[in-house]
Amino acid sequence: MIGRLRGILLEIEDDEAVIEVMGVGYIVKCGVRTLANLPGNGQETILHIESQTREDGTRLYGFLSKDERKTFQQLLTVQGVGPKAALSVLDILTPHELAIAVAHEDKTKVNKANGVGPKLAQRIVIELKGKALAVGEAFVPMAPGAVLASVNPAASLNGESVAALMGLGIPEAQSRQAVEAAVKELGPEAELAAVIRASLKLIGK
């Protein structure tokens, strides 16, 4: 199975990119967001790959980060979600934004994805509840019943970190205390994933 490709971007056509690796051109299906962030033709690029084998052959799906690839895999576990719909969701929501939407059971945001109707959007937020979803570079389980209503998805580093810990079922007061201590230790410029890891360590998880 192919998990990563590093090579020269030969061309982009419709929803596919052709990456040449050691003389072999790999056709990789990508979302609109991914294609828009690829370098120009003839330049080196790196894509994280999810391989899907079917009766008609193997198809490669490319992503800019491991988080996106893992979230794509999780979306495919939802009944009725195929690769095309999963890519559409990732075109409008980053892995972190999807994790927040799932925690809030906010089907409206998911419904904005091309080809994802209200019923499928509802199924996505319900079936992904309790599964590990990406937050920055970390993957944390979104516990069933987690309450994030008091946290703004576009909040500061502290707010996003608290949201992630609450998604693990840690009480808000304890989450805030741990995050404040972690940010004080790491500094306000720290990566979100680093703050989450440090906070969990302080809590003893």
Side-chain angles (χ1 to χ4, degrees), residues 25-72:
Y26 293 87
I27 298 175
V28 184
K29 288 190 172 294
C30 304
V32 174
R33 188 204 297 265
T34 297
L35 292 175
N37 284 281
L38 291 179
N41 291 350
Q43 297 186 39
E44 183 179 78
T45 187
I46 296 175
L47 285 175
H48 297 274
I49 302 297
E50 173 67 12
S51 303
Q52 294 283 314
T53 301
R54 299 185 177 183
E55 293 182 358
D56 59 348
T58 299
R59 291 185 179 181
L60 306 180
Y61 296 87
F63 307 91
L64 297 173
S65 70
K66 291 182 180 179
D67 279 353
E68 290 179 343
R69 176 167 59 84
K70 291 178 180 178
T71 301
F72 177 79

